[in-house]
Amino acid sequence: MPMLFAICYWLEHTSIGTAVRESTWLFPTIETIHIFGIILLVGSTSILDLRLLGWAFREDSVSKLARRYLPWTWAGFVIQVATGFLLFSSEATKMYDNPSFQIKMLLIVLAGVNAFVFHMLAYRKVATWDDAPVAPLSARCAGCFSILLWFGIVAAGRWIAFI
Amino acid sequence: MISKLLTLAGLLMVSLPTFAHHGFARYDTAKLITVKGTVTDFQFSNPHVEVDFIVKDDKGNVKRWAGQGSSPNMLARAGWNKNVLKQGDEITVSGHPAKSGANIMLLKNLTLSNGRELTPQAQW
């Protein structure tokens, strides 16, 4: 673990980490973009999640929604990783033992695993249930987990500052 | 390089009385205390500026303190920058102490030994 802390310490003292930490405008600007990024990421992925749950967009096929919105989800993800990394670099040693940050990272990994499992299993056979208003159980579960996990990620992210 | 970092990391892990982050609610704003101390570290950092200092009492006991300020952006408008304080500076600090009794405070006013006064009050 101290190795990980050493990496955090190193990162925090790179010119990038220092610039973000000591800036008057960079930090709040990156934070603002980070919020727009989460709108893009969670908004687009929630469309698919709600469709999988059968709560919305039932008249559209699942594959059509996935084709249309997954690129936006990925764009949001790239923005989040980039801006999140910059924010992290500015206060890495504080994040190292921040429980809310740790929970957030864990939930992001779980959201990734959930999406991966969905694409490997249920979505492989999407042709057989593409237009069904209610998706198969495993797909509904994936949609449900996704919404709950992203809810948790946003909440944990916000709580980093208050714990 | 790595071993140096590890040593440094070890030292830092047993560090100062400090605050995680935001949360001005932890301070008792009805109380204002003033102490004299010596700066041990000054971080002009987002999201909150921090001044670490030591205070000696009459018996020579040394206590570590940490003072929390607002953001670099607000303090910059009040005339602060990352060079306004340095290790070893003698300061008189006023602030709202933590409700918990920990040696941390919300900075209200900071005066250097040369008379220069630093306030967290941003000017537009």
Side-chain angles (χ1 to χ4, degrees):
Chain A
M1 268 329 224
M3 186 67 205
L4 195 57
F5 186 85
I7 293 168
C8 289
Y9 182 85
W10 169 80
L11 183 63
E12 190 174 301
H13 290 79
T14 58
S15 54
I16 294 173
T18 303
V20 176
R21 181 173 55 260
E22 295 180 349
S23 69
T24 53
W25 59 272
L26 201 52
F27 188 98
T29 303
I30 296 169
E31 235 180 2
T32 305
I33 300 170
H34 199 62
I35 292 170
F36 278 117
I38 201 69
I39 295 169
L40 194 58
L41 170 51
V42 178
S44 61
T45 200
S46 294
I47 291 171
L48 192 61
D49 295 338
L50 291 171
R51 172 64 180 88
L52 292 176
L53 284 166
W55 290 358
F57 316 108
R58 288 159 71 127
E59 65 281 7
D60 292 310
S61 72
V62 171
S63 62
K64 180 181 133 189
L65 289 176
R67 268 199 313 277
R68 187 174 288 170
Y69 295 108
L70 272 182
W72 292 105
T73 306
W74 277 111
F77 186 73
V78 169
I79 291 170
Q80 289 314 77
V81 171
T83 53
F85 176 78
L86 289 172
L87 293 172
F88 175 80
S89 72
S90 78
E91 47 180 0
T93 57
K94 278 185 193 167
M95 293 307 101
Y96 172 81
D97 56 5
N98 184 298
S100 205
F101 179 79
Q102 292 165 350
I103 290 169
K104 181 181 177 182
M105 292 303 114
L106 174 69
L107 295 181
I108 290 172
V109 171
L110 292 179
V113 170
N114 180 53
F116 181 77
V117 169
F118 168 70
H119 281 273
M120 285 297 114
L121 300 176
Y123 197 68
R124 279 239 164 128
K125 299 181 203 133
V126 70
T128 62
W129 52 273
D130 210 3
D131 294 311
V134 178
L137 183 62
S138 70
R140 273 181 279 152
C141 285
C144 180
F145 288 149
S146 177
I147 282 184
L148 291 176
L149 285 167
W150 284 110
F151 185 90
I153 290 161
V154 172
R158 185 65 288 217
W159 271 86
I160 285 171
F162 299 92
I163 206 143
Chain B
M1 171 69 179
I2 295 289
S3 64
K4 251 187 193 170
L5 273 177
L6 283 171
T7 315
L8 202 51
L11 283 173
L12 282 162
M13 286 175 83
V14 284
S15 64
L16 300 164
T18 191
F19 20 73
H21 246 282
H22 302 277
F24 292 146
R26 81 186 68 206
Y27 303 104
D28 185 349
T29 48
K31 276 189 204 152
L32 191 67
I33 58 165
T34 301
V35 291
K36 281 185 181 217
T38 308
V39 175
T40 54
D41 194 21
F42 173 51
Q43 297 145 37
F44 191 67
S45 60
N46 279 294
H48 294 289
V49 169
E50 180 174 336
V51 182
D52 298 327
F53 52 97
I54 49 171
V55 175
K56 271 188 200 159
D57 68 13
D58 309 335
K59 294 169 200 147
N61 298 317
V62 171
K63 280 201 174 122
R64 287 174 176 277
W65 274 84
Q68 180 177 21
S70 58
S71 72
N73 192 35
M74 289 186 209
L75 291 179
R77 291 206 312 277
W80 293 52
N81 60 53
K82 69 174 181 177
N83 299 317
V84 290
L85 288 171
K86 61 179 189 305
Q87 202 175 347
D89 280 349
E90 301 293 329
I91 50 170
T92 305
V93 199
S94 303
H96 300 303
K99 290 171 186 163
S100 69
N103 290 342
I104 58 177
M105 65 160 80
L106 180 62
L107 297 172
K108 283 310 282 180
N109 197 296
L110 211 149
T111 310
L112 283 145
S113 53
N114 65 10
R116 181 173 180 189
E117 205 174 317
L118 294 164
T119 70
Q121 220 56 55
Q123 304 291 325
W124 279 106

